């Protein structure tokens, strides 16, 4: 009779500073990844970039990035849960990036805008590196629970 039951509550998006910062950086760096991708494939001077490329980049890519943010939310990448294994989070991030790249390619194909395939590959790689890097840097700087990075480096903690 005196048994206690543990009820697990569903982890939800908690609008705090961490999630807001990561969300903003995700948006900025995904856009930046595709801009860098286009600029590496074309001459840096804007007169050599096809006008359709620039128009599409300005009109479609921001909405694609919002869709990617929604995918990240669906895959629980904005959930405050310190118990989530880093490997699980990285796997989710890899899946989201892969799905988002395929969706972006499909959108461009549907709109009949022909980008070089290297644009999608480079953009997807930049997107993956940037979104992973954001989480790595945040974890490196703020995961020591009250200790500064210098203190944890001195004691050897934080490298779990």
């Amino acid at each position: 009779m005196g048994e206690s039951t543990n009820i697990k509550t569903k982890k939800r998006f908690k609008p705090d500073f961490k999630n807001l910062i990561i969300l903003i950086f995700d948006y900025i760096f995904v856009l930046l990844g595709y801009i860098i991708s286009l600029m590496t494939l074309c001459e840096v001077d804007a007169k050599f970039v096809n006008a359709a490329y620039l128009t599409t980049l300005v009109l479609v890519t921001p909405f694609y990035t919002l869709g990617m943010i929604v995918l990240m939310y669906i895959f629980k990448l904005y959930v405050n849960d310190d118990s989530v294994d880093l490997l699980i989070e990285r796997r989710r991030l890899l899946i989201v990036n892969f799905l988002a790249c395929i969706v972006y390619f499909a959108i461009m194909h549907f709109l009949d805008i022909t980008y070089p395939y290297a644009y999608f590959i480079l953009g997807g790689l930049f997107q993956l590196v940037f979104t992973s890097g954001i989480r790595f840097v945040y974890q490196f700087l703020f995961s020591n629970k009250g200790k500064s990075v210098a203190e944890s480096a001195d004691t050897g903690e934080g490298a779990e």
Side-chain angles (χ1 to χ4, degrees):
M1 283 260 284
E3 295 178 24
S4 64
T5 57
N6 291 333
I7 300 173
K8 291 187 177 184
T9 59
K10 187 176 181 180
K11 304 292 182 191
R12 295 179 186 220
F13 175 77
K14 296 177 185 173
D16 66 348
F17 183 72
K18 173 196 170 200
N19 289 329
L20 182 64
I21 292 297
I22 290 176
L23 189 139
I24 290 170
F25 279 127
D26 278 343
Y27 188 83
I28 291 169
F29 280 105
V30 168
L31 284 175
L32 186 64
Y34 281 99
I35 290 170
I36 292 171
S37 175
L38 183 63
M39 291 301 138
T40 56
L41 295 174
C42 300
E43 295 290 326
V44 177
D45 190 7
K47 68 182 178 182
F48 293 112
V49 177
N50 187 345
Y53 290 169
L54 291 176
T55 304
T56 306
L57 188 71
V58 170
L59 294 177
V60 175
T61 307
F63 293 107
Y64 157 76
T65 306
L66 284 174
M68 184 174 168
I69 298 284
V70 170
L71 267 176
M72 290 177 146
Y73 173 75
I74 290 170
F75 277 81
K76 300 178 182 176
L77 288 168
Y78 296 118
V79 172
N80 282 340
D81 189 9
D82 293 332
S83 67
V84 171
D85 188 18
L86 293 178
L87 186 61
I88 293 171
E89 184 178 359
R90 299 298 182 251
R91 187 179 318 136
R92 288 178 185 167
L93 192 60
L94 187 65
I95 291 168
V96 165
N97 278 289
F98 182 73
L99 288 175
C101 288
I102 289 175
V103 167
Y104 191 50
F105 179 78
I107 289 169
M108 294 303 192
H109 185 70
F110 177 74
L111 294 176
D112 201 28
I113 299 172
T114 56
Y115 273 87
Y117 292 124
Y119 168 77
F120 298 105
I121 294 169
L122 279 175
L125 287 175
F126 284 131
Q127 169 183 300
L128 178 64
V129 167
F130 289 156
T131 54
S132 297
I134 290 165
R135 282 151 180 80
F136 175 76
V137 168
Y138 182 87
Q139 214 168 19
F140 179 74
L141 293 176
F142 301 111
S143 71
N144 293 321
K145 300 206 180 23
K147 291 187 176 184
S148 70
V149 174
E151 288 174 1
S152 65
D154 290 339
T155 61
E157 295 177 10
E160 299 174 25

